[in-house]
Amino acid sequence: MNIEFHDSLDAAKSRLVARVVEQDKLPDDLPTTIAQGAEASRFKGKTGQVFEGFHEADGKVVRLALVGAGKKKDAGRMAALEKAGAALTAKYLTSGEEALAIDFASSGLDAEEAAAVLLGARLRSWRWDTYRTKMRDEQKRTLKTVHAVGAAEGTDAAWEDAQAVAKGVEFTRELVAEPANVIYPQSFVERCQERFKGTGVEIQVLDEDEMRTLGMGALLGVGQGSRRDSKLLVIKWMGGKASEKPTLFVGKGVTFDTGGISLKPPGGMEDMKWDMGGAGAVAGAMLALAGRKAKANIVGVCGLVENMPDGNAQRPGDIVTSMSGQTIEVINTDAEGRLVLCDALTWVQKEFSPKTVVDLATLTGAMMIALGHEHGGVFSNDDKLADNLLAAGKASGDKLWRFPLAPEYDKLIDSPIADMKNVGPRWAGSITAAQYLQRFIEDGVNWAHCDIAGMVWADKPGATWGKGATGYGARLIDRFVRDSVEG
Ligand code: BES
Ligand code: MN
Ligand code: ZN
């Protein structure tokens, strides 16, 4: 969906017009039918509430929608404005109308605020229709353009920036939504190579032979039952000073997780196509950062593997040697994400000597039990880093909640035969997974692990997404980079 800017409503030539209104303060220049209609239908302008009425202007019937953005003073103002924009495109996406004009002229919104409305509108209009060849007419999307009319000066520039973020989120959603017969390690890499053309990003790919030479026995062990070769994808955006050490983001990219020989039960296994949501978030964030030319050196690394049962698959009890030299007893082949991440984490620390490393992963079902679909969990060895991520979560809407790390939990993954085992007891499953990862973090490195298992996929529409891939993580990273790395 495209956004176009106009000075006046005439120029937009739309039969469908929307106005963003503040709660309990209906504008006094509304046509009578609209003002009375809104009153009669108890429209108050609460965040995301929509009223639609009709009135006549210049001999033509105009469809006028009012959308609420809550109260000006409310905390979360930007999120409310996004929701307002999202409510409009959710309502009109398949309405038969091709264009929607949002009349900002007397809205009182500044450029950033208007851009937030447009961002919400754009994000909520995203759908992945590639595989739907038989849609009924009323299912087909019709809305193609949102005309922003009379918006404050500078809204177009603010939109340029927001649009880069939208493209990043959409790329994350695309990667997550694609099924595992389409997106596997090699095709994930190719999709990125294609999408990053002309963005100024440098891409590097390690194949299995190179990873074997580096000693990545943990990552390779996971992919060993798959017909698809594992890959390590590196996406570099060097927009900062040459002297600045890069900040690293590492994503779990298990393009399908059957559980391996510790096979998962069939019910819901199709969800495991989105077990690459961490990698998807990293790739989408890199696209956003490059798109808005972030003044920072950022490297995104995706550990891409498919976890399959097979005659060559690793067995429970196998012992693998990680790139760090530490040995791991693979008690459960379904605890594969940490096996992938540990080698990726070791590699990025050796390769880039970073000060800060953040990983994102759909790592444990236990995280969903703890937090549901409202927050991702964050674990960190550094309070400031944790605080910055929590703040970025709040500001972007990709919310996080902090969990503890402690030696008492770490003990739970000691193995009698190797340096560690890849699972602990049933309890505190998300924490022992984080403790496992921490064993691969070198002294002096600020590290955070985000367990986003509950966040990358939604069974029902949310604030700025429909059912399915949410795009979680891309905005979190983008916001963290803006507020804590750049400037
Ligand atoms: N990818 C799963 C975690 C997951 C489950 C993410 C459901 C999203 C939804 C991960 O690889 C996994 O299988 N974890 C196991 C770990 C266990 C074997 C210690 C889990 O959570 O059950
Ligand atoms: Mn698993
Ligand atoms: Zn997994």
Side-chain angles (χ1 to χ4, degrees), residues 252 254 256-257 259 264 272 275 307 334-337 362-364:
K252 168 179 172 181
V254 175
F256 198 81
D257 180 14
K264 287 180 182 297
M272 288 300 105
D275 205 19
N307 188 20
D334 195 14
E336 84 297 338
T362 50
L363 205 63
T364 64

Side-chain angles (χ1 to χ4, degrees), residues 34-214:
I34 302 294
Q36 291 184 2
E39 172 85 37
S41 48
R42 293 191 176 176
F43 174 84
K44 294 276 188 278
K46 287 188 188 150
T47 304
Q49 193 186 10
V50 184
F51 167 78
E52 178 190 66
F54 294 83
H55 72 105
E56 214 182 294
D58 305 328
K60 276 194 310 194
V61 173
V62 176
R63 197 167 170 183
L64 181 63
L66 305 178
V67 63
K71 292 184 179 158
K72 255 208 163 95
K73 292 189 301 274
D74 285 350
R77 172 76 173 155
M78 286 303 178
L81 290 162
E82 283 181 20
K83 266 192 198 163
L88 288 174
T89 44
K91 183 168 169 74
Y92 294 112
L93 195 64
T94 57
S95 61
E97 298 289 350
E98 290 192 3
L100 159 71
I102 305 180
D103 184 2
F104 287 105
S106 51
S107 65
L109 300 181
D110 67 22
E112 295 298 321
E113 292 171 328
V117 173
L118 298 173
L119 178 60
R122 164 78 177 248
L123 288 176
R124 186 62 181 83
S125 76
W126 185 90
R127 293 200 333 201
W128 197 238
D129 287 339
T130 314
Y131 304 108
R132 309 191 49 158
T133 67
K134 291 186 166 177
M135 268 187 287
R136 279 179 277 117
D137 264 354
E138 62 270 26
Q139 294 176 314
K140 288 184 188 149
R141 62 178 301 155
T142 54
L143 192 65
K144 292 197 179 89
T145 311
V146 167
H147 298 287
V149 178
E153 213 180 301
T155 303
D156 45 354
W159 170 247
E160 278 305 305
D161 185 273
Q163 182 173 233
V165 176
K167 286 182 177 169
V169 173
E170 288 163 358
F171 188 39
T172 299
R173 289 178 181 173
E174 173 184 329
L175 290 164
V176 166
E178 287 283 25
N181 60 332
V182 173
I183 285 293
Y184 43 90
Q186 175 67 32
S187 61
F188 187 110
V189 166
E190 285 163 3
R191 190 74 63 102
C192 286
Q193 282 167 333
E194 198 180 285
R195 201 59 53 93
F196 282 99
K197 260 187 207 138
T199 58
V201 146
E202 191 196 319
I203 288 188
Q204 182 190 350
V205 187
L206 302 192
D207 63 18
E208 287 195 351
D209 286 342
E210 289 164 287
M211 290 193 276
R212 203 162 290 118
T213 308
L214 288 161

Side-chain angles (χ1 to χ4, degrees), residues 203-259:
I203 288 188
Q204 182 190 350
V205 187
L206 302 192
D207 63 18
E208 287 195 351
D209 286 342
E210 289 164 287
M211 290 193 276
R212 203 162 290 118
T213 308
L214 288 161
M216 297 191 179
L219 185 152
L220 290 170
V222 176
Q224 139 192 336
S226 169
R227 301 284 288 267
R228 316 277 198 194
D229 277 353
S230 304
K231 304 280 173 193
L232 194 76
L233 168 67
V234 187
I235 309 169
K236 295 181 202 163
W237 169 254
M238 295 297 174
K241 295 196 197 82
S243 59
E244 174 196 310
K245 277 189 180 177
T247 299
L248 264 294
F249 294 93
V250 178
K252 168 179 172 181
V254 175
T255 58
F256 198 81
D257 180 14
T258 63

